[in-house]
Amino acid sequence: MHRIWLYIFLVTVERNICVRSEVFTSIAHIIQLLDTEIELAKQLKIYLKNEHVRLVHIEKFLSVINNDLSQARGKEEQYFSNPINVYLFFKHLTTEWYHIKDMPSPDIRTIIDKNWLFPSLEDLTGTGISLLRLQNTYQITTSQMANGEIDLKFRSQKLTSDECYHIGRVAYINNDFYYALMWMQEALDRFDEKNKRALISRIDILDHLSNVTFQEGNIENALALTQEMLAIDPNHVPAKANKVYYESLINGQTLSKDQKKDSLASSEKIGSSSKKNFRVRKQRQNNYLELSEVYKALCRQNRAKLSHKRQAKLFCRYRHNNHPYLILRPVKEEQLFDEPTILLFHDVVSDTDIEQIKVLATPQ
Amino acid sequence: MHRIWLYIFLVTVERNICVRSEVFTSIAHIIQLLDTEIELAKQLKIYLKNEHVRLVHIEKFLSVINNDLSQARGKEEQYFSNPINVYLFFKHLTTEWYHIKDMPSPDIRTIIDKNWLFPSLEDLTGTGISLLRLQNTYQITTSQMANGEIDLKFRSQKLTSDECYHIGRVAYINNDFYYALMWMQEALDRFDEKNKRALISRIDILDHLSNVTFQEGNIENALALTQEMLAIDPNHVPAKANKVYYESLINGQTLSKDQKKDSLASSEKIGSSSKKNFRVRKQRQNNYLELSEVYKALCRQNRAKLSHKRQAKLFCRYRHNNHPYLILRPVKEEQLFDEPTILLFHDVVSDTDIEQIKVLATPQ
């Protein structure tokens, strides 16, 4: 399976970043970007060191002028009647302050030479879309993916709330509200108020979550989420507008009076506990089995599922197709599946040749 | 004495900063600058706080990308075969790096509004010249001044090597080589190699010291100081040139052969111990007693020096000069000195009036 989804992933990345003339379409290309990251880390380390030295200088200067102030305070005339104090005071406000002002502070935007190759935002979106496609094809749960459990042989790091939010955004922008909802929910579950490095707030997540919940047709939950937003920020203008809108929709629904009452009551009840997360259990509409669905189902096929009877029909053989070269050195063919036929050819290319091809394929 | 030298000091400051239309000619004016320093300290504190927060963000980002690198190193293909890792890697090099790059870092040169009044470099030079004039008039030793012991009632801080160097520079620029030498020597005595905040180096001091020593006619010591400079930095171009020049002067002097030999030998000997400081004991040429010298000598006069016979002639009285108002409220007159007559009038202006005058005099 590993080989197949990797292929899908790269094809998807390729499709999504065609604007960049397919720069990052192979792992070899991505590995090249590691050099960028190594250089960036190196430059940032130097930058931080210099900036710390600069701040220490400023701190010392600040303590010097604070010392002036604490000595002069309340006895200014006496203090300045000593001409040495006047001299020092003038010196601090002239040469020493000029020195502090003129200490070079490099622009962080220019610390890394612009000739270094960086991925673009389109590349990032491309990888996000690829992840969603993988998730859909192999029906991986969002929490499995967010825990880095796509590849059991080589797990990735766990995703943070920020990262789940971003993947949710990618789905949202591509009108894939089902996955947008899943990932926003995951982002909310992983959200940590205490994380100062977070680039997004709880309200950002709730905003998207209520939107996609509404898009998926669950107006009551959308209303509850909007109320949760208003509990955090009572002045959130879009949330206020949405609340009115959702309420009017709920009131206008052709429910029996009793049903309507229940719905509103439960919605209010949920909304009142602002810290509670909402799970939308609605499943993605999957009742259309188009060609792509057949193909995805095929990708998920597993030999273990074959009956013993069918498995007994599978066989291996040396294949030559009457080709003169292959008669001398036939190819090892293994049948993996009967309907449709899936064949695996062993040792077609030697390991040495594979390495050679990789070297030739690596961008110079 | 306190009152008199303060007057001299302010007059001197005034004379030296006339280019600035006499802004800082009174203590009241200088006190106004305290507000500038208070504001500067406030803004610097805010600046430092924000910069520290920014650097913490950058440090965290650096640890994130270092984590990428340490995980990928040596197993790049395996690492990037997990698409979550590719996604995270792209995210770090795009949105997260953009976030770090775009974090606002205010220009320290603009943290304080330019409408705040700052002294100029001319003001600083003016106070330096005033200090030298005070020192000359009252014959205060350089080390006394550098220890802040001008005003025993209200001592100032001790001066650092940097500050002594700067006063020496002021003397040097004004061709007062005698005081330039004294202050440079003081700067050298106070120089601390370990002080990272120092704006000047040992070589800067030695450079001036050898120059003024030469100007004061002591070529042997100037040569020894130049050799001390070359011991620190063998490639110091002006020092190399000066060494050749001083040596040629010494060789050309009309000394007897023996004297010449001794002189060179002792000079070499002194020069060989590069950390040793040189004291020039030559006194300032003070054999011209012009009017200003008489006046300076007068300033230094002290009642304690009067003989009992002369002291017995001094008296106090109520003075009215037949002025109708003064007959009603005569002025208290005290004779301090007989030849020339120095009188001190007591309680001419009440404390309340003094405060009122100060308020009126304070620049708005």
Side-chain angles (χ1 to χ4, degrees), chain A residues 5 37 47 51-52 54 59 68 77 81-85 87 96 154 156 166 358, chain B residues 5 37 47 51-52 54 59 68 77 81-85 87 154 156 166 358:
Chain A
W5 67 245
E37 199 167 73
Y47 175 83
E51 282 293 271
H52 276 301
R54 192 174 68 89
E59 269 157 14
D68 278 356
E77 287 191 27
S81 69
N82 185 326
I84 296 269
N85 286 334
Y87 167 74
E96 302 211 3
F154 199 78
S156 76
H166 182 264
K358 275 157 63 180
Chain B
W5 67 246
E37 199 167 73
Y47 176 83
E51 283 293 271
H52 276 301
R54 191 174 68 88
E59 269 158 13
D68 278 356
E77 286 191 28
S81 69
N82 185 325
I84 296 269
N85 286 334
Y87 167 75
F154 199 79
S156 76
H166 182 263
K358 274 158 63 180

mmCIF file of all heavy atoms in Angstrom, chain A residues 5 37 47 51-52 54 59 68 77 81-85 87 96 154 156 166 358, chain B residues 5 37 47 51-52 54 59 68 77 81-85 87 154 156 166 358:
data_model
loop_
_atom_site.group_PDB
_atom_site.id
_atom_site.type_symbol
_atom_site.label_atom_id
_atom_site.label_comp_id
_atom_site.label_asym_id
_atom_site.label_seq_id
_atom_site.Cartn_x
_atom_site.Cartn_y
_atom_site.Cartn_z
ATOM 1 N N TRP A 5 0.058 4.731 -2.309
ATOM 2 C CA TRP A 5 -0.399 6.058 -1.888
ATOM 3 C C TRP A 5 0.668 7.116 -2.053
ATOM 4 O O TRP A 5 0.388 8.275 -2.282
ATOM 5 C CB TRP A 5 -1.058 6.060 -0.520
ATOM 6 C CG TRP A 5 -0.243 5.772 0.697
ATOM 7 C CD1 TRP A 5 -0.366 4.705 1.521
ATOM 8 C CD2 TRP A 5 0.786 6.583 1.244
ATOM 9 N NE1 TRP A 5 0.521 4.786 2.528
ATOM 10 C CE2 TRP A 5 1.243 5.927 2.398
ATOM 11 C CE3 TRP A 5 1.384 7.788 0.871
ATOM 12 C CZ2 TRP A 5 2.266 6.446 3.183
ATOM 13 C CZ3 TRP A 5 2.394 8.301 1.650
ATOM 14 C CH2 TRP A 5 2.832 7.625 2.789
ATOM 15 N N GLU A 37 16.405 24.775 4.516
ATOM 16 C CA GLU A 37 16.085 24.799 5.943
ATOM 17 C C GLU A 37 17.360 24.807 6.791
ATOM 18 O O GLU A 37 17.424 25.492 7.811
ATOM 19 C CB GLU A 37 15.181 23.617 6.315
ATOM 20 C CG GLU A 37 14.460 23.866 7.626
ATOM 21 C CD GLU A 37 13.324 22.904 7.898
ATOM 22 O OE1 GLU A 37 13.589 21.729 8.207
ATOM 23 O OE2 GLU A 37 12.168 23.318 7.806
ATOM 24 N N TYR A 47 21.512 35.297 13.744
ATOM 25 C CA TYR A 47 20.644 36.465 13.957
ATOM 26 C C TYR A 47 20.262 36.586 15.432
ATOM 27 O O TYR A 47 20.385 37.653 16.039
ATOM 28 C CB TYR A 47 19.391 36.313 13.090
ATOM 29 C CG TYR A 47 18.356 37.398 13.300
ATOM 30 C CD1 TYR A 47 18.465 38.619 12.646
ATOM 31 C CD2 TYR A 47 17.270 37.193 14.146
ATOM 32 C CE1 TYR A 47 17.523 39.612 12.839
ATOM 33 C CE2 TYR A 47 16.324 38.183 14.346
ATOM 34 C CZ TYR A 47 16.452 39.388 13.684
ATOM 35 O OH TYR A 47 15.515 40.362 13.881
ATOM 36 N N GLU A 51 21.169 39.572 17.984
ATOM 37 C CA GLU A 51 20.078 40.350 18.558
ATOM 38 C C GLU A 51 20.135 40.314 20.087
ATOM 39 O O GLU A 51 19.860 41.309 20.743
ATOM 40 C CB GLU A 51 18.722 39.832 18.059
ATOM 41 C CG GLU A 51 18.379 40.280 16.644
ATOM 42 C CD GLU A 51 18.150 41.780 16.520
ATOM 43 O OE1 GLU A 51 17.017 42.241 16.702
ATOM 44 O OE2 GLU A 51 19.145 42.491 16.237
ATOM 45 N N HIS A 52 20.517 39.163 20.645
ATOM 46 C CA HIS A 52 20.617 39.083 22.102
ATOM 47 C C HIS A 52 21.715 40.011 22.614
ATOM 48 O O HIS A 52 21.534 40.697 23.618
ATOM 49 C CB HIS A 52 20.856 37.640 22.551
ATOM 50 C CG HIS A 52 19.583 36.848 22.675
ATOM 51 N ND1 HIS A 52 18.568 37.227 23.526
ATOM 52 C CD2 HIS A 52 19.144 35.738 22.046
ATOM 53 C CE1 HIS A 52 17.564 36.370 23.413
ATOM 54 N NE2 HIS A 52 17.886 35.465 22.517
ATOM 55 N N ARG A 54 22.718 42.718 21.199
ATOM 56 C CA ARG A 54 22.210 44.079 21.049
ATOM 57 C C ARG A 54 21.266 44.426 22.203
ATOM 58 O O ARG A 54 21.372 45.495 22.814
ATOM 59 C CB ARG A 54 21.465 44.191 19.708
ATOM 60 C CG ARG A 54 21.126 45.604 19.282
ATOM 61 C CD ARG A 54 20.519 45.621 17.882
ATOM 62 N NE ARG A 54 19.211 44.993 17.837
ATOM 63 C CZ ARG A 54 18.059 45.628 18.055
ATOM 64 N NH1 ARG A 54 18.060 46.912 18.302
ATOM 65 N NH2 ARG A 54 16.918 44.980 18.020
ATOM 66 N N GLU A 59 19.733 47.023 27.372
ATOM 67 C CA GLU A 59 19.359 46.866 28.780
ATOM 68 C C GLU A 59 20.336 47.608 29.688
ATOM 69 O O GLU A 59 19.931 48.258 30.651
ATOM 70 C CB GLU A 59 19.348 45.381 29.159
ATOM 71 C CG GLU A 59 17.989 44.743 28.953
ATOM 72 C CD GLU A 59 18.056 43.239 28.780
ATOM 73 O OE1 GLU A 59 19.117 42.642 29.077
ATOM 74 O OE2 GLU A 59 17.055 42.671 28.317
ATOM 75 N N ASP A 68 20.524 57.462 36.483
ATOM 76 C CA ASP A 68 20.452 58.936 36.431
ATOM 77 C C ASP A 68 19.169 59.408 37.107
ATOM 78 O O ASP A 68 19.185 60.268 37.991
ATOM 79 C CB ASP A 68 20.329 59.437 34.967
ATOM 80 C CG ASP A 68 21.668 59.515 34.246
ATOM 81 O OD1 ASP A 68 22.691 59.259 34.889
ATOM 82 O OD2 ASP A 68 21.661 59.826 33.040
ATOM 83 N N GLU A 77 17.834 69.988 41.500
ATOM 84 C CA GLU A 77 18.758 71.131 41.505
ATOM 85 C C GLU A 77 20.089 70.751 42.116
ATOM 86 O O GLU A 77 21.150 71.091 41.599
ATOM 87 C CB GLU A 77 18.139 72.300 42.268
ATOM 88 C CG GLU A 77 17.033 72.942 41.471
ATOM 89 C CD GLU A 77 16.583 74.250 42.085
ATOM 90 O OE1 GLU A 77 17.400 74.893 42.769
ATOM 91 O OE2 GLU A 77 15.420 74.605 41.881
ATOM 92 N N SER A 81 23.626 70.558 40.204
ATOM 93 C CA SER A 81 24.586 71.579 40.623
ATOM 94 C C SER A 81 25.993 70.984 40.621
ATOM 95 O O SER A 81 26.973 71.713 40.658
ATOM 96 C CB SER A 81 24.223 72.134 41.999
ATOM 97 O OG SER A 81 24.425 71.139 42.971
ATOM 98 N N ASN A 82 26.097 69.659 40.546
ATOM 99 C CA ASN A 82 27.409 69.036 40.360
ATOM 100 C C ASN A 82 27.654 68.885 38.857
ATOM 101 O O ASN A 82 26.976 68.112 38.186
ATOM 102 C CB ASN A 82 27.447 67.671 41.047
ATOM 103 C CG ASN A 82 28.841 67.060 40.984
ATOM 104 O OD1 ASN A 82 29.562 67.247 40.001
ATOM 105 N ND2 ASN A 82 29.222 66.349 42.029
ATOM 106 N N PRO A 83 28.628 69.638 38.317
ATOM 107 C CA PRO A 83 28.805 69.660 36.855
ATOM 108 C C PRO A 83 29.185 68.306 36.261
ATOM 109 O O PRO A 83 28.931 68.057 35.088
ATOM 110 C CB PRO A 83 29.916 70.688 36.640
ATOM 111 C CG PRO A 83 30.575 70.839 37.951
ATOM 112 C CD PRO A 83 29.567 70.536 39.001
ATOM 113 N N ILE A 84 29.767 67.424 37.071
ATOM 114 C CA ILE A 84 30.074 66.079 36.560
ATOM 115 C C ILE A 84 28.763 65.374 36.201
ATOM 116 O O ILE A 84 28.663 64.687 35.183
ATOM 117 C CB ILE A 84 30.835 65.245 37.626
ATOM 118 C CG1 ILE A 84 32.193 65.863 37.933
ATOM 119 C CG2 ILE A 84 30.949 63.796 37.190
ATOM 120 C CD1 ILE A 84 33.334 65.360 37.104
ATOM 121 N N ASN A 85 27.747 65.573 37.046
ATOM 122 C CA ASN A 85 26.451 64.955 36.757
ATOM 123 C C ASN A 85 25.850 65.506 35.471
ATOM 124 O O ASN A 85 25.255 64.766 34.689
ATOM 125 C CB ASN A 85 25.484 65.168 37.922
ATOM 126 C CG ASN A 85 25.833 64.288 39.108
ATOM 127 O OD1 ASN A 85 26.443 63.230 38.928
ATOM 128 N ND2 ASN A 85 25.471 64.719 40.301
ATOM 129 N N TYR A 87 27.536 66.700 32.984
ATOM 130 C CA TYR A 87 28.327 66.125 31.895
ATOM 131 C C TYR A 87 27.867 64.702 31.585
ATOM 132 O O TYR A 87 27.610 64.353 30.430
ATOM 133 C CB TYR A 87 29.813 66.137 32.267
ATOM 134 C CG TYR A 87 30.646 65.302 31.343
ATOM 135 C CD1 TYR A 87 30.938 65.752 30.053
ATOM 136 C CD2 TYR A 87 31.094 64.046 31.720
ATOM 137 C CE1 TYR A 87 31.672 64.976 29.183
ATOM 138 C CE2 TYR A 87 31.830 63.260 30.852
ATOM 139 C CZ TYR A 87 32.115 63.728 29.589
ATOM 140 O OH TYR A 87 32.821 62.952 28.727
ATOM 141 N N GLU A 96 26.044 58.131 24.019
ATOM 142 C CA GLU A 96 25.651 56.765 24.381
ATOM 143 C C GLU A 96 24.328 56.376 23.728
ATOM 144 O O GLU A 96 24.154 55.254 23.265
ATOM 145 C CB GLU A 96 25.597 56.608 25.907
ATOM 146 C CG GLU A 96 26.949 56.934 26.515
ATOM 147 C CD GLU A 96 27.268 56.174 27.781
ATOM 148 O OE1 GLU A 96 26.478 55.324 28.201
ATOM 149 O OE2 GLU A 96 28.333 56.458 28.349
ATOM 150 N N PHE A 154 6.872 4.524 9.513
ATOM 151 C CA PHE A 154 7.580 5.761 9.834
ATOM 152 C C PHE A 154 6.565 6.842 10.162
ATOM 153 O O PHE A 154 6.136 7.595 9.302
ATOM 154 C CB PHE A 154 8.470 6.194 8.661
ATOM 155 C CG PHE A 154 9.534 7.167 9.082
ATOM 156 C CD1 PHE A 154 10.666 6.717 9.738
ATOM 157 C CD2 PHE A 154 9.392 8.528 8.859
ATOM 158 C CE1 PHE A 154 11.646 7.607 10.147
ATOM 159 C CE2 PHE A 154 10.366 9.419 9.271
ATOM 160 C CZ PHE A 154 11.495 8.955 9.916
ATOM 161 N N SER A 156 4.853 10.198 11.526
ATOM 162 C CA SER A 156 5.280 11.601 11.541
ATOM 163 C C SER A 156 4.986 12.152 12.930
ATOM 164 O O SER A 156 4.470 11.454 13.797
ATOM 165 C CB SER A 156 4.504 12.400 10.511
ATOM 166 O OG SER A 156 3.209 12.647 10.992
ATOM 167 N N HIS A 166 -5.313 24.488 9.512
ATOM 168 C CA HIS A 166 -4.895 24.840 8.158
ATOM 169 C C HIS A 166 -5.388 23.819 7.142
ATOM 170 O O HIS A 166 -5.849 24.180 6.057
ATOM 171 C CB HIS A 166 -3.372 24.990 8.085
ATOM 172 C CG HIS A 166 -2.911 25.383 6.724
ATOM 173 N ND1 HIS A 166 -2.473 24.457 5.804
ATOM 174 C CD2 HIS A 166 -2.885 26.582 6.097
ATOM 175 C CE1 HIS A 166 -2.169 25.081 4.675
ATOM 176 N NE2 HIS A 166 -2.401 26.373 4.827
ATOM 177 N N LYS A 358 17.962 7.489 -9.584
ATOM 178 C CA LYS A 358 17.686 8.571 -8.626
ATOM 179 C C LYS A 358 18.713 9.695 -8.762
ATOM 180 O O LYS A 358 18.360 10.880 -8.716
ATOM 181 C CB LYS A 358 17.673 8.025 -7.192
ATOM 182 C CG LYS A 358 16.309 7.456 -6.813
ATOM 183 C CD LYS A 358 16.363 6.450 -5.693
ATOM 184 C CE LYS A 358 16.854 7.038 -4.399
ATOM 185 N NZ LYS A 358 16.885 6.007 -3.329
ATOM 186 N N TRP B 5 31.724 78.697 41.379
ATOM 187 C CA TRP B 5 32.081 77.843 40.244
ATOM 188 C C TRP B 5 30.875 77.415 39.442
ATOM 189 O O TRP B 5 30.937 77.184 38.255
ATOM 190 C CB TRP B 5 33.005 76.691 40.619
ATOM 191 C CG TRP B 5 32.505 75.590 41.494
ATOM 192 C CD1 TRP B 5 32.931 75.296 42.744
ATOM 193 C CD2 TRP B 5 31.521 74.617 41.162
ATOM 194 N NE1 TRP B 5 32.275 74.217 43.226
ATOM 195 C CE2 TRP B 5 31.405 73.782 42.283
ATOM 196 C CE3 TRP B 5 30.718 74.392 40.050
ATOM 197 C CZ2 TRP B 5 30.522 72.716 42.321
ATOM 198 C CZ3 TRP B 5 29.837 73.332 40.087
ATOM 199 C CH2 TRP B 5 29.744 72.511 41.217
ATOM 200 N N GLU B 37 14.571 62.125 29.337
ATOM 201 C CA GLU B 37 15.170 60.864 29.779
ATOM 202 C C GLU B 37 14.114 59.919 30.354
ATOM 203 O O GLU B 37 14.166 58.709 30.130
ATOM 204 C CB GLU B 37 16.290 61.129 30.792
ATOM 205 C CG GLU B 37 17.223 59.938 30.913
ATOM 206 C CD GLU B 37 18.516 60.248 31.642
ATOM 207 O OE1 GLU B 37 18.489 60.422 32.867
ATOM 208 O OE2 GLU B 37 19.550 60.313 30.985
ATOM 209 N N TYR B 47 10.095 48.800 24.364
ATOM 210 C CA TYR B 47 10.816 48.253 23.209
ATOM 211 C C TYR B 47 11.471 46.921 23.569
ATOM 212 O O TYR B 47 11.331 45.929 22.856
ATOM 213 C CB TYR B 47 11.871 49.262 22.753
ATOM 214 C CG TYR B 47 12.756 48.781 21.633
ATOM 215 C CD1 TYR B 47 12.336 48.862 20.311
ATOM 216 C CD2 TYR B 47 14.012 48.246 21.892
ATOM 217 C CE1 TYR B 47 13.144 48.419 19.281
ATOM 218 C CE2 TYR B 47 14.828 47.795 20.869
ATOM 219 C CZ TYR B 47 14.392 47.887 19.569
ATOM 220 O OH TYR B 47 15.202 47.439 18.552
ATOM 221 N N GLU B 51 10.725 43.277 22.020
ATOM 222 C CA GLU B 51 11.793 42.585 21.302
ATOM 223 C C GLU B 51 12.064 41.213 21.918
ATOM 224 O O GLU B 51 12.327 40.255 21.200
ATOM 225 C CB GLU B 51 13.073 43.435 21.293
ATOM 226 C CG GLU B 51 13.039 44.579 20.293
ATOM 227 C CD GLU B 51 13.023 44.113 18.841
ATOM 228 O OE1 GLU B 51 14.089 43.934 18.244
ATOM 229 O OE2 GLU B 51 11.904 43.922 18.308
ATOM 230 N N HIS B 52 11.982 41.127 23.244
ATOM 231 C CA HIS B 52 12.202 39.828 23.884
ATOM 232 C C HIS B 52 11.112 38.838 23.476
ATOM 233 O O HIS B 52 11.402 37.677 23.191
ATOM 234 C CB HIS B 52 12.262 39.977 25.407
ATOM 235 C CG HIS B 52 13.631 40.363 25.897
ATOM 236 N ND1 HIS B 52 14.738 39.586 25.654
ATOM 237 C CD2 HIS B 52 14.075 41.440 26.575
ATOM 238 C CE1 HIS B 52 15.809 40.169 26.179
ATOM 239 N NE2 HIS B 52 15.430 41.306 26.737
ATOM 240 N N ARG B 54 9.468 38.873 20.714
ATOM 241 C CA ARG B 54 9.738 38.527 19.316
ATOM 242 C C ARG B 54 10.847 37.470 19.234
ATOM 243 O O ARG B 54 10.719 36.472 18.523
ATOM 244 C CB ARG B 54 10.155 39.797 18.557
ATOM 245 C CG ARG B 54 10.206 39.645 17.052
ATOM 246 C CD ARG B 54 10.489 40.987 16.389
ATOM 247 N NE ARG B 54 11.829 41.473 16.663
ATOM 248 C CZ ARG B 54 12.903 41.174 15.929
ATOM 249 N NH1 ARG B 54 12.782 40.425 14.867
ATOM 250 N NH2 ARG B 54 14.088 41.642 16.248
ATOM 251 N N GLU B 59 13.066 31.959 18.499
ATOM 252 C CA GLU B 59 13.750 30.804 19.093
ATOM 253 C C GLU B 59 12.893 29.549 18.971
ATOM 254 O O GLU B 59 13.395 28.473 18.658
ATOM 255 C CB GLU B 59 14.040 31.069 20.581
ATOM 256 C CG GLU B 59 15.396 31.711 20.791
ATOM 257 C CD GLU B 59 15.506 32.454 22.103
ATOM 258 O OE1 GLU B 59 14.637 32.279 22.984
ATOM 259 O OE2 GLU B 59 16.466 33.236 22.240
ATOM 260 N N ASP B 68 12.788 19.387 12.651
ATOM 261 C CA ASP B 68 12.643 18.843 11.284
ATOM 262 C C ASP B 68 13.960 18.219 10.839
ATOM 263 O O ASP B 68 14.012 17.070 10.396
ATOM 264 C CB ASP B 68 12.377 19.973 10.261
ATOM 265 C CG ASP B 68 10.920 20.410 10.204
ATOM 266 O OD1 ASP B 68 10.096 19.799 10.895
ATOM 267 O OD2 ASP B 68 10.631 21.379 9.473
ATOM 268 N N GLU B 77 14.732 10.139 2.635
ATOM 269 C CA GLU B 77 13.683 9.540 1.796
ATOM 270 C C GLU B 77 12.574 8.951 2.646
ATOM 271 O O GLU B 77 11.397 9.122 2.366
ATOM 272 C CB GLU B 77 14.278 8.459 0.899
ATOM 273 C CG GLU B 77 15.086 9.068 -0.219
ATOM 274 C CD GLU B 77 15.470 8.042 -1.267
ATOM 275 O OE1 GLU B 77 14.736 7.053 -1.433
ATOM 276 O OE2 GLU B 77 16.512 8.240 -1.903
ATOM 277 N N SER B 81 8.776 10.270 2.853
ATOM 278 C CA SER B 81 7.793 9.349 2.285
ATOM 279 C C SER B 81 6.513 9.399 3.114
ATOM 280 O O SER B 81 5.474 8.928 2.680
ATOM 281 C CB SER B 81 8.355 7.928 2.224
ATOM 282 O OG SER B 81 8.497 7.426 3.528
ATOM 283 N N ASN B 82 6.581 9.983 4.311
ATOM 284 C CA ASN B 82 5.355 10.219 5.078
ATOM 285 C C ASN B 82 4.825 11.606 4.707
ATOM 286 O O ASN B 82 5.452 12.620 5.008
ATOM 287 C CB ASN B 82 5.651 10.145 6.578
ATOM 288 C CG ASN B 82 4.371 10.253 7.399
ATOM 289 O OD1 ASN B 82 3.446 10.971 7.012
ATOM 290 N ND2 ASN B 82 4.315 9.539 8.501
ATOM 291 N N PRO B 83 3.673 11.652 4.028
ATOM 292 C CA PRO B 83 3.188 12.935 3.500
ATOM 293 C C PRO B 83 2.876 13.964 4.582
ATOM 294 O O PRO B 83 2.906 15.166 4.321
ATOM 295 C CB PRO B 83 1.932 12.560 2.722
ATOM 296 C CG PRO B 83 1.544 11.219 3.211
ATOM 297 C CD PRO B 83 2.781 10.534 3.673
ATOM 298 N N ILE B 84 2.601 13.512 5.804
ATOM 299 C CA ILE B 84 2.378 14.469 6.892
ATOM 300 C C ILE B 84 3.665 15.259 7.124
ATOM 301 O O ILE B 84 3.642 16.468 7.348
ATOM 302 C CB ILE B 84 1.980 13.739 8.203
ATOM 303 C CG1 ILE B 84 0.652 13.017 8.043
ATOM 304 C CG2 ILE B 84 1.969 14.708 9.372
ATOM 305 C CD1 ILE B 84 -0.569 13.806 8.417
ATOM 306 N N ASN B 85 4.802 14.563 7.045
ATOM 307 C CA ASN B 85 6.078 15.255 7.221
ATOM 308 C C ASN B 85 6.316 16.278 6.121
ATOM 309 O O ASN B 85 6.831 17.364 6.376
ATOM 310 C CB ASN B 85 7.232 14.247 7.260
ATOM 311 C CG ASN B 85 7.265 13.481 8.572
ATOM 312 O OD1 ASN B 85 6.786 13.989 9.591
ATOM 313 N ND2 ASN B 85 7.795 12.277 8.551
ATOM 314 N N TYR B 87 3.999 17.821 4.467
ATOM 315 C CA TYR B 87 3.081 18.921 4.747
ATOM 316 C C TYR B 87 3.658 19.844 5.826
ATOM 317 O O TYR B 87 3.711 21.068 5.663
ATOM 318 C CB TYR B 87 1.717 18.365 5.177
ATOM 319 C CG TYR B 87 0.828 19.419 5.763
ATOM 320 C CD1 TYR B 87 0.198 20.354 4.940
ATOM 321 C CD2 TYR B 87 0.648 19.525 7.140
ATOM 322 C CE1 TYR B 87 -0.590 21.351 5.473
ATOM 323 C CE2 TYR B 87 -0.139 20.521 7.678
ATOM 324 C CZ TYR B 87 -0.752 21.427 6.847
ATOM 325 O OH TYR B 87 -1.515 22.426 7.374
ATOM 326 N N PHE B 154 27.662 67.127 47.479
ATOM 327 C CA PHE B 154 26.870 66.237 46.632
ATOM 328 C C PHE B 154 27.775 65.643 45.561
ATOM 329 O O PHE B 154 27.906 66.172 44.476
ATOM 330 C CB PHE B 154 25.700 66.996 45.999
ATOM 331 C CG PHE B 154 24.625 66.072 45.498
ATOM 332 C CD1 PHE B 154 23.718 65.507 46.380
ATOM 333 C CD2 PHE B 154 24.542 65.741 44.156
ATOM 334 C CE1 PHE B 154 22.745 64.637 45.933
ATOM 335 C CE2 PHE B 154 23.571 64.870 43.703
ATOM 336 C CZ PHE B 154 22.667 64.323 44.592
ATOM 337 N N SER B 156 29.252 63.277 42.679
ATOM 338 C CA SER B 156 28.642 62.636 41.510
ATOM 339 C C SER B 156 29.137 61.199 41.468
ATOM 340 O O SER B 156 29.914 60.766 42.317
ATOM 341 C CB SER B 156 29.062 63.350 40.238
ATOM 342 O OG SER B 156 30.386 63.001 39.925
ATOM 343 N N HIS B 166 36.661 60.696 26.852
ATOM 344 C CA HIS B 166 35.921 61.721 26.122
ATOM 345 C C HIS B 166 36.326 63.127 26.563
ATOM 346 O O HIS B 166 36.503 64.019 25.734
ATOM 347 C CB HIS B 166 34.414 61.522 26.283
ATOM 348 C CG HIS B 166 33.628 62.537 25.515
ATOM 349 N ND1 HIS B 166 33.135 63.681 26.111
ATOM 350 C CD2 HIS B 166 33.309 62.615 24.207
ATOM 351 C CE1 HIS B 166 32.523 64.403 25.191
ATOM 352 N NE2 HIS B 166 32.606 63.784 24.029
ATOM 353 N N LYS B 358 12.334 81.511 39.848
ATOM 354 C CA LYS B 358 12.672 80.271 39.144
ATOM 355 C C LYS B 358 11.514 79.808 38.260
ATOM 356 O O LYS B 358 11.717 79.357 37.126
ATOM 357 C CB LYS B 358 13.053 79.180 40.152
ATOM 358 C CG LYS B 358 14.530 79.253 40.537
ATOM 359 C CD LYS B 358 14.836 78.601 41.864
ATOM 360 C CE LYS B 358 14.555 77.131 41.895
ATOM 361 N NZ LYS B 358 14.868 76.546 43.219
#
